[in-house]
């Protein structure tokens, strides 16, 4: 990012906060409905000092990581099977497309009935919402591999699992990265949504507590945290990996 | 001694409604240590022919005989070098070169011993840790050749490996290719659409006819090496090849 873009961004956020402060100081809405940035900051500081914020973040991130890991592992296996075995593609493949269209949050009732109000239930929702994006991108990636890679590899003696792990998956990686990124986005929405409805620890739970206490500034504070974590993961982790992959694979 | 022989290779491809007969019975006999250059109109089936010899594609009729025995699958004794190199961008140069050895389960130390030799031969030692996107087209083709040589194949199947190179790099590689051939004593089948390239490299030039393709003419080449592309002695030979090739190219258009 160049300096001017950065300056524009900083200026924008400063203006946004000033505007927010001005509106909250005016008498349009009472403060318990529209708190000032200062109050939100105070709430954040309070939750940070008593540790509840970090415990919430930690819980949510842990669920996310476990759920996303399951989604990635399961998604890759399913995607490879679909790409390699036409019958699986024609049967399970069509179901995958259908399942992909179910919003993560719609799995919550089923997860509660199956697993109760447990971590397992939340992780289930997180994983199932993310998995099919990984599957579809892995499948597409393998189908789009330059056939010369596969021929060269076969010619040099690669076959079976070896061919999959040392050629098909790395060759499909640029697509798979998009799958992981989509998967992460679904998982992040899924885990927060599930925590809201399960109301069992985590950032989603803290949102719910804020609502029950009529504490608008806690709700906004937690939303800010959710947004910042999301931006950090997109902007740092995925952007870094994508840039590296794109240049190494000669795609830019 | 005959190293490789193809007998009546026929290959059809489905094109919408009809079957296209790409190869119409290709007979070729290659002696051990031959350097056979294959020329022919574009689309006549030269790549297909190499892929069939490599075992990457099955002929509809005919057979490939290697060391007296018919072959139907891929094998480490017949290794291809592709037009675009087909190097793996996720691997460093050295790991690209060692790929076949790794697939064969050869341990790391042994692999790097072997690859070192070929990295040296292709003047790639400095680039062992580079990724392919950091290499020029000429360097990539060197890696592709090293990657094939490491397998120590009896037969190298090269499909227009120099087509994408600029003239200077190509001239350099034409000389090096002759040295490699002399040093390694490989049997080489080399597809090219460049008549000068064929004249410089080959011990024999085989001209494909238009589809359904057969080998129309084989021309032995007996000039001493290393030959250079601008060698005046080769002009007559080039004319001879062109005279065979031109009518086929006309028919193909
Ligand atoms: N997989 C394929 N499916 C259909 N047609 C093919 C396939 N591969 C090659 N062909 C056709 O066979 C002919 C010969 O192709 P190719 O061997 O690539 O020719 P060359 O290498 O001599 O230019 C071409 O007309 C091409 O369109
Ligand atoms: Mg070709």
């Amino acid at each position: 990012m160049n300096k001017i873009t950065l300056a524009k961004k900083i200026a924008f956020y400063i203006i946004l906060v000033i505007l927010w402060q001005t509106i909250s100081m005016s008498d349009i809405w009472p403060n318990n409905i529209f708190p000032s940035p200062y109050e939100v900051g105070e709430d954040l500081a309070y939750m940070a000092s008593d540790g509840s914020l970090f415990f919430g973040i930690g819980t949510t991130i842990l669920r996310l990581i476990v759920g996303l890991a399951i989604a990635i592992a399961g998604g890759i296996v399913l995607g490879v099977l679909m790409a390699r075995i036409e019958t699986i593609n024609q049967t399970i493949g069509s179901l995958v497309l259908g399942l992909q269209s179910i919003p993560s949050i719609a799995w919550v009732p089923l997860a509660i009935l199956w697993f109760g109000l447990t971590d397992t239930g939340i992780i289930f929702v997180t994983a199932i919402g993310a998995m099919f994006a990984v599957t579809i991108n892995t499948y597409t990636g393998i189908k789009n591999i330059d056939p010369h890679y596969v021929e060269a590899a076969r010619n040099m003696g690669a076959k079976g699992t070896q061919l999959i792990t040392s050629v098909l998956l790395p060759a499909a990686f640029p697509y798979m990265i998009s799958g992981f990124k989509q998967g992460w986005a679904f998982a992040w929405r899924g885990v927060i949504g599930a925590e809201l409805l399960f109301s069992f620890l985590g950032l989603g739970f803290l949102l719910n507590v804020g609502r029950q206490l009529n504490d608008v500034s806690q709700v906004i504070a937690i939303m800010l945290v959710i947004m910042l974590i999301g931006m950090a993961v997109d902007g740092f982790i995925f952007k870094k990996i994508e840039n590296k992959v794109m240049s190494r694979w000669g795609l830019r | 001694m005959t190293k490789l022989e193809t007998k009546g290779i026929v290959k059809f491809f489905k094109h919408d409604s009809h079957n296209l007969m790409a190869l119409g019975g290709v007979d070729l006999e290659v002696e051990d240590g031959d350097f056979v250059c294959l020329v022919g109109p574009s689309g006549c089936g030269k790549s297909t022919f190499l892929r069939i010899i490599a075992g990457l594609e099955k002929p509809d009729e005919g057979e490939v005989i290697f060391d007296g025995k018919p072959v139907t699958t891929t094998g480490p004794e017949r290794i291809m070098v592709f037009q675009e190199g087909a190097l793996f961008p996720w691997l460093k140069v050295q790991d690209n070169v060692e790929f076949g050895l790794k697939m064969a389960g050869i341990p790391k130390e042994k692999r790097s011993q072997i690859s070192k030799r070929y990295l040296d031969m292709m003047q790639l030692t400095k680039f062992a840790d580079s990724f392919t996107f950091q290499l020029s087209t000429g360097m990539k083709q060197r890696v592709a050749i090293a990657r094939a040589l490491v397998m120590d194949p009896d037969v190298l199947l090269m499909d227009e490996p120099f087509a994408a190179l600029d003239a200077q790099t190509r001239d350099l590689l034409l000389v090096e290719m002759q040295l490699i051939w002399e040093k390694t004593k490989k049997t080489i089948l080399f597809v090219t659409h460049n008549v000068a390239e064929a004249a410089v490299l080959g011990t024999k030039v085989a001209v494909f006819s238009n589809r359904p393709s057969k080998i129309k003419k084989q021309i032995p080449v007996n000039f001493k090496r290393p030959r250079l592309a601008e060698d005046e002695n080769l002009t007559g030979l080039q004319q001879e090849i062109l005279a065979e090739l031109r009518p086929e190219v006309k028919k193909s258009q």
Side-chain angles (χ1 to χ4, degrees):
Chain A
M1 202 172 356
N2 67 33
K3 277 194 185 131
I4 298 176
T5 326
L6 188 66
K8 276 189 207 163
K9 275 195 180 161
I10 292 172
F12 168 73
Y13 285 108
I14 290 174
I15 292 170
L16 196 65
V17 171
I18 292 173
L19 204 65
W20 176 4
Q21 180 71 35
T22 322
I23 296 174
S24 72
M25 284 191 325
S26 73
D27 287 335
I28 310 177
W29 296 287
N31 254 23
N32 58 349
I33 298 283
F34 199 91
S36 70
Y38 181 75
E39 284 164 311
V40 171
E42 235 178 14
D43 248 21
L44 262 184
Y46 178 76
M47 284 188 286
S49 69
D50 77 355
S52 61
L53 177 66
F54 300 118
F55 183 65
I57 293 177
T59 307
T60 301
I61 296 275
L62 194 64
R63 287 167 177 161
L64 175 90
I65 290 174
V66 175
L68 193 54
I70 294 172
I72 287 178
I76 290 176
V77 170
L78 196 53
V80 169
L81 287 174
M82 276 166 55
R84 300 294 284 172
I85 304 168
E86 195 44 37
T87 308
I88 292 190
N89 183 35
Q90 288 158 348
T91 53
I92 300 176
S94 61
L95 180 61
V96 164
L97 287 176
L99 293 174
Q100 158 76 356
S101 68
I102 300 178
S104 321
I105 211 78
W107 289 94
V108 168
L110 194 61
I112 293 179
L113 293 173
W114 280 354
F115 303 105
L117 296 172
T118 60
D119 266 327
T120 315
I122 296 176
I123 289 168
F124 171 79
V125 171
T126 310
I128 199 104
M131 187 160 96
F132 304 118
V134 177
T135 303
I136 290 168
N137 280 279
T138 304
Y139 169 81
T140 314
I142 293 179
K143 284 294 177 189
N144 280 298
I145 293 176
D146 178 348
H148 285 113
Y149 288 156
V150 183
E151 296 206 324
R154 278 175 54 210
N155 194 203
M156 289 184 287
K159 46 178 172 289
T161 329
Q162 228 181 5
L163 180 69
I164 293 172
T165 54
S166 49
V167 179
L168 298 188
L169 291 180
F173 200 66
Y175 280 89
M176 288 164 69
I177 276 290
S178 314
F180 301 162
K181 200 171 157 183
Q182 283 172 26
W184 131 259
F186 288 129
W188 189 228
R189 286 155 181 72
V191 72
I192 302 286
E195 285 175 349
L196 258 169
L197 294 172
F198 277 68
S199 210
F200 170 55
L201 304 179
L203 289 170
F205 166 72
L206 291 177
L207 273 180
N208 218 6
V209 171
R211 181 187 64 83
Q212 280 159 359
L213 299 177
N214 274 328
D215 188 345
V216 176
S217 65
Q218 172 166 340
V219 169
I220 294 178
I222 297 296
M223 286 176 70
L224 279 178
V225 170
I226 292 172
M227 183 181 86
L228 288 175
I229 294 175
M231 285 168 78
V233 173
D234 275 335
F236 293 112
I237 302 180
F238 279 105
K239 199 150 199 191
K240 279 237 167 70
I241 303 178
E242 267 178 340
N243 283 344
K244 187 151 192 177
V245 167
M246 288 298 165
S247 68
R248 183 169 300 172
W249 265 244
L251 298 171
R252 90 158 47 125
Chain B
M1 195 189 73
T2 304
K3 190 77 199 167
L4 181 84
E5 194 181 351
T6 69
K7 281 189 181 159
I9 302 277
V10 171
K11 181 71 189 179
F12 289 99
F13 284 113
K14 280 201 180 60
H15 271 229
D16 302 325
S17 52
H18 70 294
N19 273 344
L20 173 92
M21 193 184 204
L23 299 174
V26 183
D27 297 310
L28 181 68
E29 219 172 293
V30 182
E31 297 293 305
D32 193 13
D34 256 356
F35 196 144
V36 182
C37 288
L38 305 167
V39 296
S42 157
C44 76
K46 303 179 294 296
S47 298
T48 306
F49 182 59
L50 283 196
R51 287 153 39 82
I52 287 173
I53 294 174
L56 290 166
E57 188 119 46
K58 298 230 181 311
D60 293 306
E61 284 170 39
E63 53 182 2
V64 177
I65 296 163
F66 176 84
D67 274 345
K69 290 181 218 74
V71 285
T72 52
T73 54
T74 56
E77 71 285 347
R78 287 160 286 129
I79 296 293
M80 275 195 81
V81 176
F82 291 88
Q83 202 160 4
E84 312 80 6
L87 299 178
F88 302 136
W90 56 91
L91 295 179
K92 292 179 174 174
V93 165
Q94 181 170 352
D95 296 326
N96 260 293
V97 172
E98 290 176 11
F99 183 87
L101 304 175
K102 191 168 181 194
M103 293 301 111
I106 293 169
K108 194 165 169 33
E109 299 230 322
K110 188 79 192 292
R111 288 206 303 265
S112 59
Q113 255 175 36
I114 301 174
S115 68
K116 190 178 173 307
R117 193 173 145 225
Y118 292 97
L119 288 169
D120 276 347
M121 186 188 291
M122 297 312 296
Q123 297 159 38
L124 289 165
T125 311
K126 272 197 311 210
F127 299 94
D129 288 325
S130 303
F131 283 97
T132 57
F133 76 94
Q134 297 163 315
L135 304 179
S136 67
T137 323
M139 278 298 165
K140 282 185 192 158
Q141 266 333 322
R142 284 170 193 273
V143 180
I145 294 169
R147 184 174 75 169
L149 286 174
V150 152
M151 306 289 294
D152 197 18
D154 292 14
V155 180
L156 264 184
L157 305 164
M158 308 183 78
D159 191 3
E160 306 203 28
F162 302 157
L165 303 184
D166 61 82
Q168 285 95 341
T169 314
R170 173 184 305 173
D171 284 351
L172 220 67
L173 275 170
L174 283 178
V175 173
E176 278 182 44
M177 201 59 229
Q178 297 176 66
L179 297 175
I180 290 166
W181 173 73
E182 280 173 343
K183 194 150 46 178
T184 61
K185 310 245 182 332
K186 300 288 175 204
T187 306
I188 302 180
L189 266 69
F190 188 105
V191 169
T192 173
H193 60 250
N194 183 322
V195 170
E197 211 169 274
V200 168
L201 290 177
T203 54
K204 190 155 102 181
V205 177
V207 183
F208 275 81
S209 70
N210 182 37
R211 285 193 307 258
S213 313
K214 294 181 176 206
I215 290 186
K216 176 189 182 192
K217 173 103 185 182
Q218 298 192 38
I219 305 167
V221 187
N222 293 314
F223 296 101
K224 72 175 202 312
R225 296 178 190 270
R227 306 174 197 151
L228 299 174
E230 65 274 11
D231 210 324
E232 277 171 15
N233 294 327
L234 297 177
T235 323
L237 174 66
Q238 292 178 19
Q239 296 303 333
E240 192 183 344
I241 302 170
L242 269 177
E244 296 292 339
L245 191 55
R246 229 175 241 135
E248 303 306 324
V249 173
K250 275 228 176 72
K251 275 185 249 166
S252 77
Q253 281 159 355

Coordinates of all heavy atoms in Angstrom, one line a residue, chain B residues 82-124:
Chain B
F82 N 8.8 -32.1 -22.8 CA 7.7 -31.5 -23.5 C 8.0 -30.1 -24.1 O 9.0 -29.4 -23.7 CB 6.6 -31.3 -22.5 CG 6.0 -32.6 -22.1 CD1 6.5 -33.3 -21.0 CD2 4.9 -33.1 -22.7 CE1 5.9 -34.5 -20.6 CE2 4.3 -34.3 -22.4 CZ 4.9 -35.1 -21.3
Q83 N 7.2 -29.7 -25.0 CA 7.3 -28.4 -25.7 C 7.5 -27.3 -24.7 O 8.4 -26.5 -24.9 CB 6.0 -28.2 -26.5 CG 6.2 -27.3 -27.7 CD 5.1 -27.5 -28.7 OE1 4.2 -28.3 -28.5 NE2 5.1 -26.8 -29.8
E84 N 6.6 -27.2 -23.7 CA 6.7 -26.1 -22.8 C 7.4 -26.5 -21.6 O 7.4 -25.8 -20.6 CB 5.3 -25.6 -22.4 CG 4.3 -25.4 -23.5 CD 3.7 -26.8 -24.0 OE1 4.0 -27.8 -23.4 OE2 3.0 -26.8 -25.0
G85 N 8.1 -27.6 -21.6 CA 8.9 -28.0 -20.5 C 8.1 -28.7 -19.4 O 8.6 -29.7 -18.9
A86 N 6.9 -28.2 -19.1 CA 6.0 -28.8 -18.1 C 6.8 -29.0 -16.8 O 6.6 -30.0 -16.1 CB 5.4 -30.1 -18.6
L87 N 7.6 -28.0 -16.4 CA 8.2 -28.0 -15.1 C 7.2 -27.8 -14.0 O 6.2 -27.1 -14.3 CB 9.3 -27.0 -15.1 CG 10.4 -27.2 -16.1 CD1 11.4 -26.0 -15.9 CD2 11.1 -28.5 -15.9
F88 N 7.5 -28.3 -12.8 CA 6.5 -28.1 -11.7 C 6.9 -26.8 -11.0 O 7.9 -26.7 -10.4 CB 6.6 -29.3 -10.8 CG 6.3 -30.6 -11.5 CD1 7.1 -31.7 -11.2 CD2 5.2 -30.7 -12.4 CE1 6.8 -32.9 -11.8 CE2 4.9 -31.9 -13.0 CZ 5.7 -33.0 -12.7
P89 N 6.0 -25.8 -11.1 CA 6.3 -24.5 -10.5 C 6.4 -24.5 -8.9 O 7.0 -23.6 -8.4 CB 5.2 -23.6 -10.9 CG 4.1 -24.5 -11.3 CD 4.7 -25.8 -11.7
W90 N 5.9 -25.6 -8.3 CA 5.9 -25.6 -6.8 C 7.2 -26.2 -6.3 O 7.4 -26.3 -5.1 CB 4.7 -26.4 -6.3 CG 4.6 -27.8 -6.8 CD1 5.1 -28.9 -6.3 CD2 3.9 -28.2 -8.0 NE1 4.8 -30.0 -7.1 CE2 4.0 -29.6 -8.1 CE3 3.1 -27.5 -9.0 CZ2 3.5 -30.3 -9.2 CZ3 2.6 -28.2 -10.0 CH2 2.7 -29.6 -10.1
L91 N 8.1 -26.7 -7.3 CA 9.3 -27.3 -6.8 C 10.5 -26.4 -7.3 O 10.5 -25.8 -8.3 CB 9.5 -28.7 -7.5 CG 8.5 -29.7 -7.0 CD1 8.8 -31.0 -7.8 CD2 8.5 -30.0 -5.5
K92 N 11.5 -26.4 -6.4 CA 12.8 -25.8 -6.9 C 13.4 -26.5 -8.0 O 13.1 -27.7 -8.2 CB 13.8 -25.7 -5.7 CG 13.3 -24.8 -4.6 CD 14.3 -24.9 -3.4 CE 13.9 -23.8 -2.4 NZ 14.7 -23.9 -1.2
V93 N 14.3 -25.9 -8.7 CA 15.0 -26.5 -9.9 C 15.5 -27.9 -9.5 O 15.2 -28.9 -10.2 CB 16.1 -25.6 -10.4 CG1 17.0 -26.4 -11.4 CG2 15.5 -24.4 -11.1
Q94 N 16.2 -28.0 -8.4 CA 16.8 -29.3 -8.1 C 15.7 -30.3 -7.8 O 15.9 -31.5 -8.2 CB 17.7 -29.1 -6.8 CG 18.4 -30.5 -6.4 CD 19.4 -30.3 -5.4 OE1 19.8 -29.2 -5.0 NE2 19.9 -31.4 -4.9
D95 N 14.7 -29.9 -7.1 CA 13.6 -30.9 -6.8 C 12.9 -31.3 -8.1 O 12.4 -32.4 -8.2 CB 12.6 -30.3 -5.8 CG 13.3 -30.1 -4.5 OD1 14.2 -30.9 -4.1 OD2 13.0 -29.1 -3.8
N96 N 12.8 -30.4 -9.1 CA 12.2 -30.7 -10.4 C 13.1 -31.8 -11.0 O 12.6 -32.8 -11.5 CB 12.2 -29.5 -11.3 CG 10.8 -28.9 -11.3 OD1 9.9 -29.5 -11.9 ND2 10.7 -27.7 -10.8
V97 N 14.4 -31.6 -11.0 CA 15.3 -32.5 -11.6 C 15.2 -33.9 -11.0 O 15.3 -34.9 -11.6 CB 16.7 -31.9 -11.7 CG1 17.7 -33.0 -12.1 CG2 16.8 -30.7 -12.5
E98 N 15.0 -33.9 -9.6 CA 15.0 -35.1 -8.9 C 13.7 -35.8 -8.9 O 13.6 -36.9 -8.3 CB 15.5 -34.9 -7.4 CG 17.0 -34.5 -7.4 CD 17.4 -34.2 -5.9 OE1 16.6 -34.4 -5.0 OE2 18.5 -33.7 -5.8
F99 N 12.7 -35.2 -9.5 CA 11.3 -35.7 -9.4 C 11.2 -37.2 -9.6 O 10.7 -38.0 -8.8 CB 10.4 -34.9 -10.3 CG 8.9 -35.3 -10.1 CD1 8.2 -34.8 -9.1 CD2 8.4 -36.3 -10.9 CE1 6.8 -35.1 -9.0 CE2 7.1 -36.7 -10.7 CZ 6.3 -36.1 -9.8
G100 N 11.7 -37.6 -10.8 CA 11.6 -39.1 -11.2 C 12.3 -40.0 -10.2 O 11.8 -41.1 -9.9
L101 N 13.4 -39.5 -9.7 CA 14.2 -40.3 -8.7 C 13.4 -40.5 -7.4 O 13.3 -41.6 -6.8 CB 15.5 -39.7 -8.4 CG 16.4 -39.4 -9.6 CD1 17.7 -38.6 -9.2 CD2 16.8 -40.7 -10.3
K102 N 12.7 -39.4 -7.0 CA 11.9 -39.4 -5.8 C 10.8 -40.4 -6.0 O 10.4 -41.2 -5.1 CB 11.4 -38.0 -5.5 CG 10.8 -37.9 -4.1 CD 10.6 -36.5 -3.7 CE 10.0 -36.5 -2.3 NZ 9.4 -35.2 -2.0
M103 N 10.1 -40.4 -7.2 CA 9.0 -41.3 -7.4 C 9.5 -42.7 -7.3 O 8.7 -43.6 -7.0 CB 8.4 -41.0 -8.8 CG 7.7 -39.7 -8.9 SD 6.3 -39.4 -7.8 CE 7.0 -38.2 -6.7
A104 N 10.7 -42.9 -7.7 CA 11.3 -44.3 -7.7 C 11.7 -44.7 -6.3 O 12.3 -45.8 -6.1 CB 12.4 -44.4 -8.7
G105 N 11.6 -43.8 -5.3 CA 11.9 -44.1 -4.0 C 13.4 -44.1 -3.6 O 13.8 -44.7 -2.6
I106 N 14.2 -43.4 -4.4 CA 15.6 -43.3 -4.2 C 15.8 -42.3 -3.0 O 15.3 -41.2 -3.1 CB 16.3 -42.8 -5.5 CG1 16.3 -44.0 -6.5 CG2 17.8 -42.5 -5.2 CD1 16.7 -43.6 -7.9
P107 N 16.6 -42.6 -2.0 CA 16.8 -41.7 -0.9 C 17.5 -40.4 -1.3 O 18.2 -40.3 -2.3 CB 17.7 -42.5 0.1 CG 18.3 -43.6 -0.7 CD 17.4 -43.9 -1.9
K108 N 17.3 -39.4 -0.4 CA 17.6 -38.0 -0.7 C 19.1 -37.8 -1.0 O 19.4 -37.1 -2.0 CB 17.3 -37.2 0.6 CG 17.3 -35.7 0.3 CD 16.5 -35.0 1.5 CE 16.7 -33.5 1.6 NZ 16.8 -32.8 0.3
E109 N 20.0 -38.5 -0.3 CA 21.4 -38.3 -0.5 C 21.8 -38.7 -1.9 O 22.5 -38.0 -2.6 CB 22.2 -39.1 0.5 CG 22.0 -38.6 1.9 CD 23.2 -38.3 2.7 OE1 24.2 -39.1 2.5 OE2 23.2 -37.4 3.5
K110 N 21.3 -39.9 -2.2 CA 21.6 -40.5 -3.5 C 21.1 -39.6 -4.6 O 21.7 -39.4 -5.6 CB 21.0 -41.9 -3.6 CG 21.3 -42.7 -4.8 CD 22.7 -43.3 -4.7 CE 23.3 -43.9 -6.0 NZ 22.5 -45.1 -6.4
R111 N 19.8 -39.1 -4.4 CA 19.2 -38.3 -5.4 C 20.0 -37.0 -5.7 O 20.3 -36.7 -6.8 CB 17.8 -37.8 -4.9 CG 16.7 -38.8 -4.8 CD 15.4 -38.2 -5.0 NE 15.1 -37.2 -3.9 CZ 14.4 -37.4 -2.8 NH1 14.0 -38.6 -2.5 NH2 14.1 -36.4 -2.0
S112 N 20.5 -36.4 -4.6 CA 21.2 -35.1 -4.9 C 22.6 -35.4 -5.5 O 23.1 -34.6 -6.3 CB 21.4 -34.3 -3.6 OG 22.1 -35.0 -2.6
Q113 N 23.2 -36.6 -5.2 CA 24.4 -37.0 -5.9 C 24.2 -37.1 -7.4 O 24.9 -36.5 -8.2 CB 24.8 -38.4 -5.5 CG 26.0 -38.4 -4.5 CD 26.2 -39.9 -4.1 OE1 26.0 -40.8 -4.8 NE2 26.6 -40.0 -2.8
I114 N 23.1 -37.8 -7.8 CA 22.8 -37.9 -9.2 C 22.4 -36.6 -9.9 O 22.9 -36.3 -10.9 CB 21.6 -39.0 -9.4 CG1 22.0 -40.3 -8.8 CG2 21.3 -39.1 -10.9 CD1 20.9 -41.3 -8.7
S115 N 21.5 -35.9 -9.2 CA 21.1 -34.6 -9.8 C 22.2 -33.6 -10.0 O 22.2 -32.9 -11.0 CB 19.9 -34.0 -9.0 OG 20.4 -33.5 -7.8
K116 N 23.1 -33.7 -9.1 CA 24.3 -32.7 -9.2 C 25.0 -32.9 -10.5 O 25.3 -31.9 -11.2 CB 25.2 -33.0 -8.0 CG 26.3 -31.9 -7.9 CD 27.2 -32.2 -6.7 CE 28.4 -31.3 -6.7 NZ 29.1 -31.2 -8.0
R117 N 25.2 -34.1 -10.9 CA 25.9 -34.4 -12.2 C 25.2 -33.7 -13.4 O 25.8 -33.1 -14.2 CB 25.9 -35.9 -12.4 CG 26.9 -36.3 -13.4 CD 27.1 -37.7 -13.6 NE 27.2 -38.0 -15.0 CZ 26.7 -39.0 -15.6 NH1 25.9 -39.8 -15.0 NH2 26.9 -39.1 -16.9
Y118 N 23.8 -33.8 -13.4 CA 23.1 -33.3 -14.5 C 22.9 -31.8 -14.4 O 22.8 -31.1 -15.4 CB 21.8 -34.1 -14.7 CG 22.0 -35.5 -15.1 CD1 22.0 -36.5 -14.2 CD2 22.3 -35.8 -16.5 CE1 22.3 -37.8 -14.6 CE2 22.6 -37.1 -16.8 CZ 22.6 -38.1 -15.9 OH 22.9 -39.4 -16.3
L119 N 22.8 -31.3 -13.2 CA 22.7 -29.9 -13.0 C 24.0 -29.2 -13.6 O 24.0 -28.2 -14.2 CB 22.5 -29.5 -11.6 CG 21.1 -29.8 -11.0 CD1 21.1 -29.6 -9.5 CD2 20.0 -28.9 -11.6
D120 N 25.1 -29.9 -13.3 CA 26.4 -29.4 -13.8 C 26.4 -29.5 -15.3 O 26.7 -28.5 -16.0 CB 27.5 -30.3 -13.3 CG 28.0 -29.9 -11.9 OD1 27.6 -28.8 -11.5 OD2 28.8 -30.7 -11.3
M121 N 26.0 -30.6 -15.9 CA 26.0 -30.8 -17.3 C 25.2 -29.7 -18.0 O 25.6 -29.2 -19.1 CB 25.5 -32.2 -17.6 CG 25.6 -32.6 -19.1 SD 24.8 -34.1 -19.5 CE 25.8 -35.3 -18.7
M122 N 24.1 -29.4 -17.4 CA 23.2 -28.4 -18.1 C 23.5 -27.0 -17.6 O 22.7 -26.1 -17.9 CB 21.7 -28.7 -17.8 CG 21.3 -30.0 -18.4 SD 21.7 -30.4 -20.1 CE 20.9 -29.1 -21.0
Q123 N 24.6 -26.8 -16.8 CA 25.0 -25.5 -16.3 C 23.9 -24.8 -15.5 O 23.5 -23.7 -15.7 CB 25.4 -24.6 -17.5 CG 26.6 -25.1 -18.2 CD 26.7 -24.6 -19.6 OE1 26.5 -23.4 -19.8 NE2 27.2 -25.4 -20.5
L124 N 23.3 -25.6 -14.6 CA 22.2 -25.1 -13.8 C 22.6 -25.1 -12.3 O 21.7 -24.7 -11.5 CB 21.0 -26.1 -13.9 CG 20.3 -26.1 -15.3 CD1 19.4 -27.3 -15.4 CD2 19.5 -24.8 -15.4

